[in-house]
Every structure is written in C-alpha cells, then in structure tokens.
Amino acid sequence: MYIMIGLSNMIVTSKGITWDKIVGWSFFAYSVGVPLYLLTDGGLEGFIGTKIHFNEVYTFATVSESLYYNCLFLSLFYFSYFLFNKKSSKDVEDTTHEEVDLASKKYNYFHSRFFIHYWLLAAMGLFFFGLYKIDYLSAISAGYSLKNVGYVYLFTAVFAIDIGTLILIRVTGFQKKYLLFAGLFHLLLFPLGIRQLTFTFIFQIALLYKLVNYKRKLKTKEIIFGISLLLFLGLIGMIRKSGGEQAFTFLSLLKAPIRFFFYETTFNYISFLKCIELFKEHTISFLYGKTLLDPIVEQVPSFILNNKNNYQFFERFIMENEALENLKPVGTAHLLTELFVNGGMTFIIIFSFVIGYVSNTLNNKMRKVLASNHYIGQILFAAVIPFVIIQLNRGGLSVLTKLSFQFAILPVIIFLIFRRRIRP
C-alpha cells in the first residue's frame, strides 16, 4: 500500500513547488515510520535508537486500517484537485525574471520597511522577556518545558522575528545582514535544545530563494550544504541529549537527523492509530465537527475571551480519553486524527475533497505570483507553506490558522498598510 502511495505521488504530482506535492508527500513522509517499524519487527527502532516502542501501534489490522484511510484521503484529494483543475494556469516559462518587481512600479515601500523594523524591535523585546521568564541559564541545564509561560513568549517572538526578517530579506534583494540578525537569536536557542524553530526558518529562507529563482536547479554545493546542515542539527541534538558525555562516532552522527525525523513523525502518527483503536473498543461519540470552531475562537485575544480553553475540543477529547488509551501527544497529531475523531470516515472523505479544491485554487494563485515575480506573494507562500507542512501532521486546524495569521499574514498586513502608491 505504501508503494502505491509513493508511486501515485510521483505520477500525478505537478512539476515544481505545488500544493499537491506539499499535501501528498507530507502525508506519505509523516506516516511511513509505523509500517517500517512493524516490518522490521523493531529492528529499525533499535538501529536508530528512537525509543518509540513499535509494539504500541497495536496489530497489523489496525495499522492496515490506518493505511487504508491514508490511501482513501490521498486518492480523493487528488481526484478533487484535478477535478476542479478545468483551466490550469500555464507553467512558468523557463526564463529568468529580472529583479524588478511589478509591485515596485506602483508602490514605494520605504515606509513599509521602516515600520517592519519597529515590528522587529517589539519582537526583540518579547524575546528577551521570554528569556527572563524561563530563567535562561537555569533552562540550559534543565531543558525546556511548555508549562513555563515564558516559552510561549519566546516561541512567539522567534517566529515574529523570522517573518519580519523574511520580509526584509526579500525586499532588499537578500541582504545578508538581516540573515545574520536572525541567526544571532537562533544561536541563543541552541543551548536549550530547540531545533524545530531554527529548521523552520532555514526552510522558509530556502523556499523563498527557490520561489524567487523558480526554475533554478539545485547545485552540488547546495545539496552538500543541506546535508551538512542536517548533520549539524543532529549533532546539536546529540550534545543536548547526552550533556556532552556521549562518545561520538561518524555513524551516530549520520543516524542523528534520521532519528529526529522518525521520532517526530511516528510519534504523531501513533495518535491516529490509538484513536482508531479507541473507537473500536469503547462506545465513544464523535465530536461532529466541534473542532471547526477552534480556528475562529483561536484568533480572539485572551483578555476578551478568558475561557478559550473551553473551546479546545480536540485537546479536551484527548485528555478525557487518555486514561482509556494512553493518547499522546496531547493536542498534536496527524490531521487524519482530528478528522477521524470529528466524524470518522465521513469527515475524511468530505475534507479530502475540500482540501483538494483549496489546494488547486492556491496552486493557480501561486503560479501567477511566481510568473509575475510579485515579492509580497512570494513572502506569504514562503512563510505559510512550512507551517502547513508541519501542522498537517503535528497539530489541529486551530493551531494551523493561528500560526499562519500571527506569524505570517499579520506582518505582511503591516507591510501593506504603510506602502505608498506612486503617482503617474
């Protein structure tokens, strides 16, 4: 079944960076760990040292059922994606666009850049406040815990700095000083063992560069740089985990990023398997779409709606049934988990069609943005796509919309507000 899923992605996906690739490959990549653990009878787990305990994923019947839902979702998603693709946009021509944006002919962005610096200044204040709240020096040895509200401030500030920097990098033609600026803040995160934020930012920068140079092929040095970066992130994780006492070998260094991938992906996909087993063994009602309210409520500030937690239906469902099925992690799971908990196979079918339609619409928009070399659109896509990939497999719909709005759309809105139209 997994060979079928992989081959279908290779055959039907479009060329270049497209939304069908983003959705299709993320589902495939984020759920490949479970069958590999089972087929190797735990050998893969022992080799890379993930400590996931593959026997927690129950029987082959349960795993096969989960793979069936994956196949069902992806096949209907592609059907919907191409069904509504009646008049697809033409592929971007294989010509290099000049570094003159069409938007810059109509607007002056001097004041926009000026106010984005104030956005960064506010984010810096929040960043240092977060460091103060977590007691940075103590946190280096103790490790981070999301129970400390300081980490909420810290994560919010880092994303705000990253997106503001992303805007300035694109607007100024990739000036390296802004990259250095963001790098200084991420260096402070490494002793805490927080690699996901840095990896996301690097992904955003690389994606923005690829969107600007859409037809540019990867060079050997870029591939080498990417591999070196993965090894470096793996090395940081090893040092953080062992406290500097582990004996490093070349093999352990190679296994570090692989271990990180399999742990993150399998850990979240197991929640889907556990929910399938939960509904099999116990008489539990579906949520019937209650979590669809979460994205709306999530945008309301806490000082206006101080009981926001009452609307976190998916997290409440996990916590209420944790004693029955040891559900984990709380609030972060494969998208199929949330769809299944809301309405079983019915919701999986409905939303595969909806997501296929939305992806097709976004893809046509993205092609136009790339063809026109419009940097505001490029910034938005580069900022949002990594969040979509992560949250398709690591969180609910409310988290996805919150991250996209607060850390991507909001600073772009600020950027648009202060632009000035050039009079003819």
Side-chain angles (χ1 to χ4, degrees):
M1 295 177 75
Y2 257 93
I3 292 174
M4 290 173 58
I5 295 175
L7 288 177
S8 68
N9 275 276
M10 294 175 63
I11 294 172
V12 303
T13 50
S14 309
K15 294 181 180 180
I17 302 172
T18 54
W19 284 96
D20 54 320
K21 273 188 177 179
I22 292 168
V23 175
W25 278 109
S26 65
F27 269 79
F28 176 69
Y30 264 79
S31 46
V32 72
V34 171
L36 287 178
Y37 282 130
L38 283 175
L39 292 174
T40 59
D41 196 25
L44 177 63
E45 177 193 27
F47 174 72
I48 61 179
T50 51
K51 297 182 180 179
I52 274 291
H53 306 299
F54 75 99
N55 56 343
E56 289 187 6
V57 298
Y58 309 106
T59 64
F60 275 98
T62 303
V63 176
S64 297
E65 185 176 349
S66 72
L67 294 179
Y68 166 73
Y69 287 129
N70 259 282
C71 291
L72 180 67
F73 179 92
L74 288 174
S75 60
L76 293 178
F77 163 77
Y78 284 124
F79 178 75
S80 173
Y81 183 88
F82 289 104
L83 176 67
F84 294 105
N85 196 24
K86 296 178 181 179
K87 190 176 181 181
S88 61
S89 302
K90 295 181 180 179
D91 291 333
V92 181
E93 297 179 359
D94 292 324
T95 56
T96 304
H97 298 292
E98 296 180 1
E99 279 297 319
V100 178
D101 296 299
L102 297 181
S104 65
K105 297 179 180 179
K106 297 181 181 179
Y107 297 97
N108 181 338
Y109 289 95
F110 173 80
H111 292 93
S112 294
R113 290 167 53 183
F114 181 77
F115 279 96
I116 285 297
H117 284 83
Y118 277 103
W119 165 271
L120 288 177
L121 188 63
M124 287 169 55
L126 187 61
F127 179 86
F128 288 114
F129 181 68
L131 292 183
Y132 167 76
K133 292 290 290 185
I134 67 173
D135 192 358
Y136 181 71
L137 295 178
S138 299
I140 291 177
S141 57
Y144 71 90
S145 171
L146 295 179
K147 294 180 180 180
N148 189 329
V149 70
Y151 284 97
V152 178
Y153 299 139
L154 191 64
F155 292 168
T156 303
V158 171
F159 279 122
I161 290 172
D162 287 349
I163 303 304
T165 306
L166 198 73
I167 292 173
L168 292 175
I169 285 176
R170 177 63 186 97
V171 174
T172 60
F174 292 88
Q175 286 188 9
K176 295 180 180 179
K177 64 179 181 181
Y178 294 110
L179 189 61
L180 178 62
F181 170 82
L184 292 175
F185 289 92
H186 281 276
L187 284 176
L188 292 174
L189 297 179
F190 273 125
L192 299 174
I194 306 172
R195 292 164 289 167
Q196 294 92 332
L197 301 183
T198 304
F199 186 76
T200 302
F201 179 57
I202 294 172
F203 188 11
Q204 289 172 327
I205 293 294
L207 184 57
L208 182 64
Y209 188 76
K210 291 299 293 182
L211 291 178
V212 175
N213 304 274
Y214 188 58
K215 286 297 181 178
R216 187 175 182 277
K217 296 181 180 179
L218 283 174
K219 293 183 178 180
T220 304
K221 64 178 182 180
E222 293 174 334
I223 297 175
I224 295 175
F225 174 77
I227 296 174
S228 302
L229 180 63
L230 287 176
L231 293 177
F232 175 70
L233 292 174
L235 176 62
I236 294 295
M238 292 170 61
I239 296 174
R240 172 64 187 157
K241 184 177 180 181
S242 65
E245 299 176 358
Q246 181 174 341
F248 298 116
T249 63
F250 182 71
L251 181 60
S252 64
L253 183 61
L254 290 177
K255 289 194 296 184
I258 300 175
R259 183 191 304 116
F260 175 76
F261 168 78
F262 274 106
Y263 181 81
E264 289 294 322
T265 56
T266 308
F267 187 61
N268 291 280
Y269 190 73
I270 282 178
S271 64
F272 182 41
L273 295 168
K274 291 189 177 227
C275 283
I276 291 176
E277 198 75 7
L278 181 68
F279 279 93
K280 277 184 179 180
E281 296 184 356
H282 304 278
T283 306
I284 297 176
S285 299
F286 291 110
L287 294 180
Y288 301 110
K290 287 183 179 180
T291 64
L292 298 180
L293 297 174
D294 290 358
I296 301 173
V297 176
E298 196 68 47
Q299 309 309 321
V300 182
S302 299
F303 66 87
I304 297 178
L305 185 66
N306 56 11
N307 61 338
K308 286 174 63 173
N309 291 336
N310 294 336
Y311 296 90
Q312 300 299 317
F313 295 104
F314 180 68
E315 290 192 13
R316 287 170 57 191
F317 170 83
I318 296 294
M319 289 186 287
E320 288 170 1
N321 297 286
E322 187 176 9
L324 295 175
E325 199 47 53
N326 187 26
L327 295 172
K328 60 181 182 181
V330 177
T332 58
H334 203 278
L335 175 63
L336 288 184
T337 309
E338 187 170 358
L339 295 179
F340 184 79
V341 168
N342 272 278
M345 184 186 296
T346 303
F347 264 55
I348 292 177
I349 292 174
I350 291 174
F351 278 90
S352 61
F353 273 92
V354 172
I355 295 175
Y357 171 76
V358 173
S359 298
N360 176 265
T361 303
L362 287 173
N363 196 55
N364 286 331
K365 295 287 185 182
M366 187 162 69
R367 288 173 181 265
K368 294 177 182 178
V369 165
L370 296 176
S372 64
N373 201 26
H374 197 292
Y375 60 68
I376 295 177
Q378 291 170 344
I379 292 167
L380 268 175
F381 280 116
V384 172
I385 287 175
F387 292 131
V388 172
I389 294 176
I390 293 170
Q391 293 307 128
L392 276 175
N393 308 281
R394 286 216 60 187
L397 297 173
S398 61
V399 182
L400 173 60
T401 54
K402 181 178 181 179
L403 288 174
S404 297
F405 179 76
Q406 293 184 352
F407 304 134
I409 298 176
L410 185 58
V412 171
I413 290 175
I414 294 174
F415 187 73
L416 290 174
I417 288 175
F418 293 101
R419 68 181 182 178
R420 297 183 63 184
R421 180 179 289 274
I422 300 175
R423 295 180 180 179

